[in-house]
Each structure stands twice: as C-alpha cells, then as structure tokens.
C-alpha cells in the first residue's frame, strides 16, 4: 500500500509540475548543446528585507512539503493535513506576512500564491477525509495542485 501511495504521489506531482512548466513556456527538450538557455523569468523587485523574508518563507514551504510527504509515507493523514494548513494553507497567510509582500508581486505571481495556499487548504481537508474514508486520490490531487502552483510561480518569476 505504501509503495502504491508513493507511486501515485510521484506520478501526480510529476505530471502536474511538467504541465505547469510547459504552460509557462519552459519545455525540457533534452540537451541544450552544452549551454543553458537564458533565464527568461520575470524579475520581481522586492525591498531587500522583504526579499529575504520571502525567500525564507519559500524555503519553509519546501520543508513543509517534505514533511507532508513524510507524514503521508507514515500513513499519518491527520499530521499531513495539519502541516499543510498551518504552513501552506490559507491559515498561514498572516504568519507569512502575505498582505505586505503581495503588493510587490505582479498579478500572476499573486494568483500563483493564492492558488498554492487554497490548494494546500483543500489538501488539508482531503487528507482528513482520507484518514476516515481511506480514499487518498482527492488529497493527492490537491497536493499535486499545491506543488504545481509552486513550480509554475518559480518557472515564471524570480526575485532580484
């Protein structure tokens, strides 16, 4: 069961990430003849202290995703949901100072962030449901959407 769960998670995350990156024009065509393509992401200017704060938040988001995966691997759906809501979901917005940071973001970056936070909250709910019903696919779909929003944002934007 755990191997099946891991395989499903990887397939969902990989397909969502590839689709999002391709949607933003970042296709992997294999070898680039030894040279990396120019970074075409939109550069977003944040005040230095907010840039550091935002980068620290993104590292924490990545750590939260790792911890969610660990909880899923252990079969602890409630813990996975708690981590998602507290660190990534809509509940986390105040903790991360989202209102202050959002005013420096282009609209697309704001929309990607909102999509990520909403998908994480959906995952938290679906993870709780899965703990009761055993039906994990809706939770994994919401987790894939959460990660796809991250991938899409990082594919399209970078802080300067």
């Amino acid at each position: 069961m755990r191997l099946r769960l891991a395989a499903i998670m990887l397939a969902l995350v990989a397909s969502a990430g590839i689709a999002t990156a391709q949607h933003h024009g970042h296709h992997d065509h294999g070898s680039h003849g030894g040279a990396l393509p120019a970074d075409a992401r939109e550069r977003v200017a944040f005040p230095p202290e907010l840039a550091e704060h935002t980068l620290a938040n993104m590292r924490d988001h990545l750590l939260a995703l790792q911890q969610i995966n660990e909880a899923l691997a252990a079969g602890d759906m409630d813990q996975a949901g708690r981590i998602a809501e507290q660190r990534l979901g809509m509940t986390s917005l105040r903790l991360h100072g989202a209102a202050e940071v959002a005013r420096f973001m282009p609209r697309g970056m704001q929309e990607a962030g909102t999509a990520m936070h909403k998908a994480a909250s959906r995952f938290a709910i679906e993870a709780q449901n899965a703990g009761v019903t055993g039906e994990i696919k809706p939770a994994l779909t919401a987790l894939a959407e959460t990660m796809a929003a991250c991938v899409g944002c990082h594919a399209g934007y970078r802080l300067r």
Side-chain angles (χ1 to χ4, degrees), residues 22 43 60 90 94-95 106 115 145-146 153 155 157 159:
Q22 288 177 343
R43 296 174 71 89
D60 185 64
M90 297 300 288
R94 187 167 293 149
L95 171 70
E145 291 169 0
T146 303
C153 190
Y157 302 97
L159 299 183

Side-chain angles (χ1 to χ4, degrees), residues 10-22:
L10 287 173
L12 285 170
V13 170
S15 64
I18 290 168
T20 302
Q22 288 177 343

Side-chain angles (χ1 to χ4, degrees), residues 106-126:
R107 184 172 179 91
M109 190 177 192
Q110 290 176 7
E111 289 170 353
T114 299
M116 186 276 294
H117 291 296
K118 286 181 176 180
S121 287
R122 277 193 310 278
F123 168 78
I125 292 166
E126 294 299 345

Side-chain angles (χ1 to χ4, degrees), residues 71-141:
L72 289 173
D76 192 344
M77 301 304 290
D78 288 337
Q79 178 66 3
R82 275 192 298 278
I83 294 166
E85 185 56 42
Q86 293 168 3
R87 306 258 297 286
L88 301 173
M90 297 300 288
T91 302
S92 75
L93 293 176
R94 187 167 293 149
L95 171 70
H96 293 302
E100 182 180 0
V101 175
R103 61 190 172 127
F104 295 99
M105 295 179 178
R107 184 172 179 91
M109 190 177 192
Q110 290 176 7
E111 289 170 353
T114 299
M116 186 276 294
H117 291 296
K118 286 181 176 180
S121 287
R122 277 193 310 278
F123 168 78
I125 292 166
E126 294 299 345
Q128 288 179 329
N129 290 342
V132 174
T133 66
E135 178 55 47
I136 194 163
K137 188 174 180 181
L140 294 177
T141 299

